[in-house]
Amino acid sequence: MSTSVWLIPAFPLAGALVNAIFGRAIGRRAHWVAVPATAAAFVAACVTFSGVVRGATYTGQLYPWIVAGALKAGVSVQVDQLAAVMLLVVTGVGFLIHVYSIGYMQSDPGYARFFSYLNLFVFSMTMLVLASNYLLLYVFWEAVGLCSYLLIGFWYQRPAAAQAGKKAFIVNRVGDFGFGLGVIWLWTVAGTLQYAEVFARAGTLGRATATGIALLLFMGACGKSAQLPLHTWLPDAMEGPTPVSALIHAATMVTAGVYMVARSHALFERSGVALEVVAWVGGVTAIFAATIALVQTDIKRVLAYSTISQLGYMFAAVGVGAYTAGIFHLVTHAFFKALLFLGAGSIIHALGGEQDLRKMGGLAPRMVPTAVTMTIGAAGLAGVPGFAGFFSKDEILAAIYDGGSLGLWSLLLLGAFLTSVYAFRLLFLAFYCAPRMSPEAAHHVHESPTVMTVPLMVLAALTVVTGFAIGIPSGEGTLFAQFLAPVFPPHEVEHGGFGAYALLLLSVIVVAAGFLLAWLLYATRPVAPEDLGRPRTPIHALLFNAYYVDRMYDAVIVRPLFALSVLLARGFDAGVLDGAVNAVGRAVVAWAQGLRRVQTGYVVNYALTMLLGVVALVGFLLSR
């Protein structure tokens, strides 16, 4: 197993380096390097997964990295059931998105650079998952943030894309500052950063210490996974190419926070309070983002707020100790949300770059594969019975209800209703309503090439079969829960009886009600474009403007800090610091000019000076 484990990150790293160094020469053939590299990583991940299924795990070190006194940190990896699942998701979905990108990015002048960045991201994400200590985790936590910055701002010629990349980088730095402090604090109290040793000593930590460390780590997770109050970067990140949105902002990078909290469950359980914070932040974020998604008109921004909301469900699950349910939703979400983003990219490709839902409609007959697969993706997102999202979301709701958190459960049940509304609203507005685009745009509508539609079909198939394959409850739990049992403590959830069936029926009713409301509002009558983009009530305006959080941050944080920076730059820096430096310079010049007068160049002056010196010396000697 050791060979296959190290090959997983090695292949995409090699692909990234080749395209980065020889990209100009390779040009339009860059995908012949990047796609096979990701495919090879996926094959290696499958080999590793098969070994884990047979009961094998692996822990190994490539080389010792830092050895400084008691601090010993190496480039070491750990493969267990959780890591194996994450590796399959990262490399499998990553491979499909690489294939899709061949068609989507075919005319882009930065073709080789794009594939180099994608490979670099897959390398960084696999190393984040494989890391066996918090220091290596932190390094690649930052590396995926760097890749996110590069990919969001890939079209850096566009001011909006450049600003979005910068915003993502800065907001993530806020969370990562807390994450870094948590890692440092953990080292000071545990004396090690190795997972196995830290978790073994977690029980010896004071609850206040464990709470402080866990909340600092969770601060990093809020930034990376776009949870309140560090969520604002993700909707703006939609300025990047659509394959980037699918890979980084739906399937992989944004789930790193969920993975980290689940991996660190021993620390969070020692605190108790931290788990409660995780659960409620997730629940509030889920309903907060879902309400915003109801009224957005940009197809990718609808999906972006949906991602924030679904990540909230994952955090709510791990916050109540239902780690397996949270990770299961992570997996299913990777499939149907990547499918929805890629489907949105197919629409954008067909409409010549148009992303506005107000200028779509009636696309189903012209784009049958995209329409069918996106319908499956929306059904998975909404939690329609039989699709993957139904199994994972129902497991989360059941776990929270059985845990006695009725307030949180009610919040997430309402979120499930809103999810159904905005998922089907997107479908109706894009595919099944009357066309609202211009006649010229309608004339050019066409289905995307096969290289783009095949990944959609594969993801649609995964959305259909995953729930039935590993998510059906039994007396011993789901197959997925049984597989992850060596990593997570068991979480008791009732899988039978009247209560369980009542909860199941309630979930179905909620989804059906959401579908019915969306159908009544958007499918039973013509929808005027101006009705979608013009807020008609204060509540509509509040949701359309995302609760004015960005404006509030701009007024309370950005502008005051910018004004303070300008004041310091023009006043303190230029007036005090530069003034002090300049004053020293002027004093030296003045002293030099005064001293220069001694150097007259006349021999008689020098002779007189020497004579005076001799007289002074003799006088000194005689006076002793």
Side-chain angles (χ1 to χ4, degrees):
M1 180 188 287
S2 61
T3 301
S4 64
V5 169
W6 290 109
L7 287 176
I8 296 171
F11 282 123
L13 176 60
L17 291 175
V18 170
N19 274 326
I21 296 171
F22 305 106
R24 290 183 181 274
I26 296 173
R28 297 294 169 187
R29 295 167 294 178
H31 61 272
W32 288 111
V33 175
V35 176
T38 312
F42 176 64
V43 172
C46 290
V47 172
T48 301
F49 183 83
S50 65
V52 174
V53 169
R54 293 193 299 269
T57 57
Y58 174 77
T59 301
Q61 179 171 287
L62 184 61
Y63 63 88
W65 176 28
I66 297 176
V67 179
L71 176 60
K72 295 180 175 60
V75 178
S76 55
V77 299
Q78 170 184 312
V79 178
D80 56 9
Q81 288 78 8
L82 176 59
V85 169
M86 291 295 296
L87 289 171
L88 279 185
V89 172
V90 172
T91 58
V93 176
F95 167 68
L96 292 174
I97 293 172
H98 273 70
V99 173
Y100 177 94
S101 299
I102 298 172
Y104 192 86
M105 302 295 293
Q106 60 182 342
S107 60
D108 196 279
Y111 195 71
R113 178 167 58 92
F114 179 80
F115 277 105
S116 179
Y117 290 168
L118 279 190
N119 270 180
L120 184 62
F121 171 79
V122 173
F123 160 71
S124 300
M125 191 65 198
T126 54
M127 284 301 299
L128 184 152
V129 171
L130 286 168
S132 68
N133 62 74
Y134 279 97
L135 185 58
L136 195 64
L137 171 69
Y138 181 75
V139 169
F140 286 99
W141 186 275
E142 295 297 327
V144 296
L146 171 63
C147 294
S148 175
Y149 167 75
L150 295 172
L151 286 164
I152 293 170
F154 178 77
W155 289 320
Y156 57 86
Q157 302 91 341
R158 302 180 183 178
Q163 288 293 330
K166 183 171 66 174
K167 183 177 182 179
F169 193 80
I170 293 172
V171 173
N172 271 272
R173 293 295 70 71
V174 175
D176 294 351
F177 176 73
F179 188 89
L181 289 179
V183 172
I184 294 170
W185 193 355
L186 185 59
W187 156 251
T188 61
V189 298
T192 180
L193 292 175
Q194 290 294 129
Y195 289 159
E197 298 173 12
V198 167
F199 301 152
R201 301 175 190 178
T204 65
L205 299 178
R207 291 199 178 275
T209 299
T211 298
I213 293 172
L215 290 179
L216 285 171
L217 295 178
F218 181 57
M219 183 176 171
C222 284
K224 196 69 69 185
S225 298
Q227 298 295 284
L228 287 171
L230 302 177
H231 67 286
T232 56
W233 66 271
L234 185 57
D236 288 0
M238 298 303 106
E239 291 293 336
T242 301
V244 173
S245 303
L247 179 62
I248 294 182
H249 308 126
T252 53
M253 188 196 83
V254 292
T255 61
V258 180
Y259 166 78
M260 185 273 293
V261 173
R263 173 65 77 188
S264 308
H265 65 85
L267 291 172
F268 284 82
E269 287 171 355
R270 177 59 181 165
S271 164
V273 174
L275 275 181
E276 193 79 11
V277 171
V278 170
W280 278 101
V281 168
V284 172
T285 302
I287 192 74
F288 173 86
T291 56
I292 298 173
L294 289 172
V295 298
Q296 297 302 304
T297 56
D298 185 304
I299 188 170
K300 288 177 66 176
R301 290 183 79 87
V302 173
L303 297 176
Y305 282 109
S306 171
T307 297
I308 297 172
S309 179
Q310 296 306 304
L311 288 166
Y313 277 87
M314 299 174 207
F315 278 111
V318 298
V320 299
Y323 306 108
T324 300
I327 298 299
F328 185 35
H329 196 55
L330 183 156
V331 173
T332 61
H333 177 264
F335 297 151
F336 60 70
K337 188 55 67 63
L339 168 59
L340 287 169
F341 266 114
L342 296 184
S346 181
I347 295 173
I348 295 167
H349 182 269
L351 296 178
E354 183 59 67
Q355 297 182 196
D356 196 333
L357 284 167
R358 293 171 293 183
K359 299 178 182 179
M360 297 180 188
L363 296 176
R366 310 283 294 275
M367 304 180 67
V368 174
T370 299
V372 171
T373 53
M374 278 201 75
T375 300
I376 292 173
L381 170 62
V384 173
F387 295 90
F390 168 76
F391 292 90
S392 58
K393 193 177 295 184
D394 182 67
E395 190 171 345
I396 291 174
L397 291 171
I400 293 173
Y401 183 86
D402 291 341
S405 301
L406 295 183
L408 183 60
W409 174 79
S410 301
L411 206 62
L412 294 179
L413 190 66
L414 175 60
F417 167 73
L418 298 178
T419 301
S420 179
V421 174
Y422 70 67
F424 289 111
R425 168 184 179 267
L426 184 150
L427 271 186
F428 291 140
L429 291 178
F431 293 105
Y432 302 114
C433 291
R436 295 178 301 279
M437 72 279 289
S438 64
E440 182 181 357
H443 177 72
H444 291 289
V445 172
H446 62 281
E447 183 57 272
S448 299
T450 304
V451 75
M452 293 174 63
T453 56
V454 168
L456 297 180
M457 296 174 187
V458 175
L459 289 168
L462 290 171
T463 301
V464 172
V465 305
T466 301
F468 290 107
I470 59 175
I472 295 180
S474 67
E476 299 178 355
T478 64
L479 284 176
F480 191 74
Q482 295 174 40
F483 179 72
L484 291 180
V487 181
F488 298 126
H491 183 84
E492 295 297 331
V493 177
E494 182 184 355
H495 290 294
F498 176 78
Y501 289 111
L503 290 175
L504 187 66
L505 179 61
L506 184 59
S507 296
V508 174
I509 293 173
V510 164
V511 173
F515 170 83
L516 180 61
L517 180 59
W519 181 73
L520 290 173
L521 291 176
Y522 302 106
T524 58
R525 58 186 178 85
V527 179
E530 58 272 14
D531 291 341
L532 296 174
R534 185 175 61 193
R536 296 181 176 274
T537 66
I539 294 178
H540 189 184
L542 183 70
L543 299 181
F544 189 76
N545 291 283
Y547 293 93
Y548 300 100
V549 173
D550 272 299
R551 296 187 187 182
M552 182 183 68
Y553 284 177
D554 186 61
V556 176
I557 300 174
V558 177
R559 292 186 181 180
L561 284 178
F562 183 77
L564 177 61
S565 300
V566 171
L567 177 64
L568 292 176
R570 295 176 180 176
F572 185 76
D573 190 35
V576 179
L577 296 181
D578 286 353
V581 172
N582 293 336
V584 171
R586 286 192 294 268
V588 171
V589 170
W591 175 75
Q593 288 176 341
L595 187 62
R596 189 173 62 180
R597 295 178 181 178
V598 178
Q599 304 292 332
T600 63
Y602 294 108
V603 176
V604 64
N605 290 349
Y606 296 156
L608 179 61
T609 302
M610 292 173 64
L611 178 61
L612 291 175
V614 170
V615 170
L617 180 61
V618 171
F620 172 75
L621 293 175
L622 291 176
S623 66
R624 293 182 65 184

